[in-house]
Amino acid sequence: MDAIARSLADTGLPHPLLVSAARAAVCAGDAALARQIAEKTAGQFLRPVINATGTLLHTNLGRAQLEGGACRGAVNLELDLATGRRGLRTSSVSKLLCSLTGAEAATVVNNGAAALLLVLATLAPGQPVIVSRGELVEIGGGFRIPEVLATSGARLVEVGTTNKTRLADYAEALGGLAPETRPLLLKVHQSNYRIVGFTQSVTTAELATLGVPLVVDLGSGLLDAGTPWLRSAPPRFLAGEPAARQTLVQGAALVTFSGDKLLGGPQAGLIAGSADLVSRCSRNPLFRALRPGGLVLSELQATLVAYAERRGHEIPFWQMATTPAEEIRERAEAIAGRLGPPVSVCGSLSAVGAGSSPGMEIESAALCLPGDHRIGLIDHEPPVVARVQEGRTLLDLRSVSPGEDGAVESALKHLLSRGPT
Ligand SMILES: *Cc1c(COP(=O)(O)O)cnc(C)c1O
C-alpha cells in the first residue's frame, strides 16, 4: 500500500490521502485504479486557475478575483489599536460602507444569503413579509427566496402575479393584516433572469410610501449608480442595475448584497441602512454564527478602501469590465502572432456573470481554435478554463489579467505541441 502511495507522490496530495487512494483501488480489486482516484482527488484541491471563459464573475471560479490584501499573520481583528481595548471586527468595513453608500450603519456576514437570512430572522420572526410573485426567485446553489423566508421564521405573503405586480397589491395585503402584526416589505433583485413583455413592477420609491420597513435584496452589490470610483462614465452594462446608495435614498430601510459580485471583493454579505435595524441584526445571536473571519474582513477592507480612494482600476473586476475591447484584441493578437495557426483572434462577448446584469454583454476579443480543447487546457499548470462556442474553443482575455497572458500562451503552446487530439 505504501509503495503504491509513494508512486503517486507527483499528484501533490499529502501522503495519507495517497494511502486512501491506494486502499480504495486495492479494495476495488485493481491497484492500477489508484492513480485515477488520486488524480480525481487532486483535481478537487483549490489552486489558482486562469479564467479565460469571458464570464467575469464565474461562480465555479470563485466569482470576483482578488489582488490579495489579506493579512496572513496576527491581525487586530477585535483589538482597537486606538484604545488598546476589545474592538468590533466589523468596524472598519462598516465605516467605509457608510461613507460609500450614505447608509447610517452597516455590517457584514458570510455571504448574501446569510445577510438576507439574518435580516428576516431579526426583523420578522413570525411576521408577514410581503413579496411580489415576480420576485420569488431561485438564485442558484439552492437559494430560493420562499425557502430562505421559511427558514428565517418569517411568513411569506405573496402579492401580484409572475409578470405584473402593482402598488395596490401591496397596499391591499397590508390592509388585510391584523393590527398587531409588524409586517416587512421585501423587494428582491431578479438577478439571473428577466421577465419581458407584458410586465409591471413596483419601484423602491413607490414601496417606501407605504409606511412599512422595506428591505431590498440587491444581490449584485453595485455601491453607487454614479460609479465615482471609475475615471469614465458608468459603463453600459450597468444600465438599470440598482445601486445601494440610490436604493437607500429612495427609501429602503435596509439593503443586502454580496461582496463577490459587482462589488468585486471577497465572498461576504453586506447589510446597510437604518442604524436601528442594523444594530438589531448585529445583536441577534445568529450574527455570531454568520460573521466572517479576519481573512475576509481584511480583503473586504482593502476593496472598500480602493473604492473610497477612487482607485476602481485597482479592483480586478472593474479593471476587467472597463478595459477597452481594442486593448484586449491587441493582447490576443500578440499571443496569436507568436503561436500562429490554428490559433487566431476572434471577437467575443464577455458576460458579467454571477446573476449580475443578465443579458448584458461586453464586447471583447478571444484567442480561438477549432474543436473543443477545454480538457487539454485545464491539464496545464496553472489550469486555463476556456469556453466552447459553435465548435471552437475560445479564450476570452477580458477575464484574464494581463499578467496571466504568458501562462495562457504557454498552455496553448503545450496543447499544440501534443498534436491533434
Ligand atoms: C446572489 C444573490 C443572493 C445570494 O448571495 P450570495 O452571496 O451568493 O449568498 C441573494 N439574493 C440575490 C438577489 C442575489 O442575486
Side-chain angles (χ1 to χ4, degrees):
M1 216 59 87
D2 194 58
I4 301 175
R6 279 179 200 289
S7 76
L8 302 172
D10 62 295
T11 59
L13 288 177
H15 192 67
L17 293 193
L18 295 177
V19 173
S20 304
R23 207 166 271 146
V26 170
C27 286
D30 183 2
L33 278 179
R35 172 158 295 273
Q36 219 175 310
I37 297 170
E39 279 174 356
K40 183 155 186 267
T41 306
Q44 293 158 344
F45 270 55
L46 299 181
R47 57 180 160 144
V49 301
I50 293 177
N51 174 5
T53 63
T55 297
L56 304 186
L57 304 168
H58 198 301
T59 299
N60 295 358
L61 304 179
R63 291 193 186 152
Q65 302 183 37
L66 301 172
E67 295 270 71
C71 309
R72 298 259 156 198
V75 53
N76 58 324
L77 185 61
E78 294 198 351
L79 172 68
D80 183 337
L81 294 174
T83 60
R85 300 229 175 89
R86 178 100 191 238
L88 195 65
R89 63 174 62 203
T90 52
S91 297
S92 68
V93 162
S94 301
K95 289 221 169 58
L96 287 161
L97 271 175
C98 290
S99 150
L100 290 163
T101 64
E104 269 178 19
T107 192
V108 196
V109 289
N110 248 316
N111 52 39
L116 186 61
L117 179 68
L118 177 65
V119 165
L120 294 173
T122 306
L123 305 182
Q127 297 296 321
V129 174
I130 304 174
V131 192
S132 159
R133 289 197 169 92
E135 297 173 2
L136 293 174
V137 298
E138 170 169 328
I139 307 299
F143 180 93
R144 295 175 141 192
I145 293 295
E147 291 169 9
V148 173
L149 252 141
T151 305
S152 75
R155 185 159 62 77
L156 171 61
V157 177
E158 302 176 20
V159 295
T161 61
T162 304
N163 56 327
K164 284 210 172 211
T165 305
R166 302 183 180 82
L167 188 61
D169 295 322
Y170 290 89
E172 201 172 299
L174 286 172
L177 298 174
E180 67 276 12
T181 51
R182 285 175 291 109
L184 204 65
L185 298 175
L186 175 63
K187 185 170 176 59
V188 183
H189 188 328
Q190 289 171 337
S191 288
N192 45 13
Y193 80 108
R194 286 281 176 272
I195 298 180
V196 294
F198 189 58
T199 66
Q200 184 173 351
S201 59
V202 185
T203 63
T204 297
E206 290 173 304
L207 286 176
T209 63
L210 293 173
V212 169
L214 167 65
V215 173
V216 180
D217 177 11
L218 290 169
S220 67
L222 177 63
L223 288 179
D224 188 330
T227 60
W229 55 89
L230 296 181
R231 291 188 187 129
S232 46
R236 256 183 338 122
F237 70 86
L238 290 178
E241 188 66 33
R245 176 181 287 275
Q246 286 71 25
T247 303
L248 290 169
V249 167
Q250 286 154 11
L254 285 181
V255 291
T256 63
F257 51 96
S258 295
D260 54 354
K261 296 184 182 173
L262 290 185
L263 190 70
Q267 181 190 300
L270 297 106
I271 302 170
S274 133
D276 169 48
L277 302 187
V278 169
S279 141
R280 280 169 62 193
C281 290
S282 319
R283 280 182 279 124
N284 186 327
L286 251 188
F287 177 76
R288 174 67 177 74
L290 300 176
R291 69 184 190 180
L295 269 177
V296 165
L297 288 167
S298 53
E299 283 286 357
L300 187 57
Q301 177 185 292
T303 304
L304 296 176
V305 165
Y307 275 100
E309 294 181 342
R310 305 195 169 196
R311 291 184 281 110
H313 54 284
E314 289 181 21
I315 299 169
F317 169 74
W318 290 106
Q319 168 78 50
M320 290 172 176
T322 60
T323 302
E326 310 84 74
E327 232 172 85
I328 294 170
R329 179 170 279 275
E330 280 164 22
R331 285 164 53 199
E333 274 167 358
I335 296 172
R338 283 189 292 272
L339 293 172
V343 176
S344 62
V345 176
C346 60
S348 172
L349 291 172
S350 306
V352 175
S356 309
S357 306
M360 292 302 250
E361 286 164 327
I362 314 175
E363 215 181 294
S364 184
L367 290 156
C368 69
L369 69 167
D372 181 351
H373 300 284
R374 283 174 298 178
I375 297 290
L377 288 165
I378 57 171
D379 185 19
H380 177 264
E381 192 49 53
V384 175
V385 185
R387 77 170 192 272
V388 165
Q389 197 172 308
E390 291 161 3
R392 296 183 303 175
T393 301
L394 262 63
L395 293 90
D396 185 325
L397 296 187
R398 183 174 291 286
S399 53
V400 174
S401 81
E404 294 169 331
D405 283 0
V408 167
E409 183 171 337
S410 100
L412 281 169
K413 199 182 274 172
H414 186 234
L415 180 80
L416 297 176
S417 72
R418 284 184 293 181
T421 45

